[in-house]
Amino acid sequence: MHETKVKSILSAQNGMNMYRGCTHGCIYCDARSTCYQILHEFEDIEVKSNTAELLEQALRSKRKKCMIGTGGMSDPYLHAEKQLKITRRCLELIDEYGFGVAIQTKSDLILRDLDLLKSINRKTKCVVQMTMTTYDENLCRILEPNVCTTKRRAEVLNIMREEGIPTICWMTPILPFINDTEENINGILDYCKKAEVYGILLFGIGLTLRDGDRQYFYSKLDQNFPGMKEKYVRTYGNDYEIPSPKSEHLMKIVKTECSRNNIICDASQLFAYMRLFEDKQAGRQMSLFED
Ligand code: SF4
């Protein structure tokens, strides 16, 4: 772990990442791709030590409140967060200044900050996004080795439901020939139904691979699934998009179950929902793009 000071923290669309790199070890992690120009070891987390200071400045100077997004490129609840509490400090600021938040993680450490999530959600809107890709617990420990398993993530979603905090499940990526099965999809769907998630985000059934990410993924396939790398190379060559041969069939299951259970699975609708700022106290709604 090493520290750095950055010049700004909020992107043009009000997204932020407090860390660069991640220690959760997902074998398919896109954030490893060389296009993101992470020059240090991926597990040697870069901590943006002036995050809170910059966030406070940014929130203070905004003319209108909006949703703040986090968790896109690095998990805000990676291991170092337990001691550093940078994510927690950011949530305190978001709460204090009356902004909303859409936060994405795989870790149950998010429960530590339930008090703040509830407080934000009382005043505006807090959307918790949990990634769940693998129903089988043993397989999950191989694919996402250093973070709590799907069963525990589903428990977190249930707690959010009890607290009235809206949730979205990222059901992606699904790995061809590994977890692209009806059993897996139905298992995750059952968790989502029980947790009454607001939405399920996915972009077909499959994954993407590019330079950096691909090499790491293949090395993990060699380690855990002998012969699988060769199957990927034979089937997909050097393609960026790696769709499951069962994509159409499995997507049909997802869409049918979502529509039966009142779960939104249209990605643009879900992104619009996460960007829509809601002022519950004033009963007003403002889009992030109005800033
Ligand atoms: S939690 Fe996200 S950022 Fe971290 S290793 Fe897994 S996919 Fe990558």
Side-chain angles (χ1 to χ4, degrees), residues 21-26 28-31 42 73-75 106:
C22 186
T23 44
H24 285 162
C26 309
Y28 50 71
C29 178
D30 174 67
F42 193 70
M73 287 292 298
S74 174
D75 198 310
K106 285 188 176 104

Side-chain angles (χ1 to χ4, degrees), residues 121-188:
N121 196 51
R122 256 195 311 274
K123 296 181 221 163
T124 66
K125 185 163 76 182
C126 166
V127 184
V128 169
Q129 305 152 75
M130 189 59 86
T131 306
M132 298 197 291
T133 69
T134 310
Y135 181 70
D136 182 284
E137 292 285 283
N138 291 328
L139 185 56
C140 183
R141 284 185 196 100
I142 296 172
L143 304 182
E144 297 154 351
N146 306 328
V147 64
C148 65
T149 56
T150 304
K151 191 172 171 210
R152 177 64 179 150
R153 293 177 222 166
E155 284 168 11
V156 172
L157 289 177
N158 289 335
I159 292 169
M160 297 300 162
R161 181 203 62 216
E162 282 160 21
E163 298 294 349
I165 294 174
T167 54
I168 288 176
C169 164
W170 284 72
M171 198 194 280
T172 179
I174 302 292
L175 311 182
F177 319 121
I178 295 175
N179 59 3
D180 59 341
T181 62
E182 272 189 42
E183 193 191 11
N184 185 44
I185 299 299
N186 281 324
I188 301 169

Side-chain angles (χ1 to χ4, degrees), residues 29-41:
C29 178
D30 174 67
R32 289 182 180 273
S33 305
T34 47
C35 59
Y36 298 120
Q37 298 181 325
I38 295 185
L39 302 174
H40 49 89
E41 284 291 311

Side-chain angles (χ1 to χ4, degrees), residues 48-60:
K48 299 178 187 175
S49 56
N50 56 341
T51 293
E53 194 185 314
L54 291 176
L55 179 64
E56 184 160 22
Q57 278 168 21
L59 298 183
R60 252 196 204 142

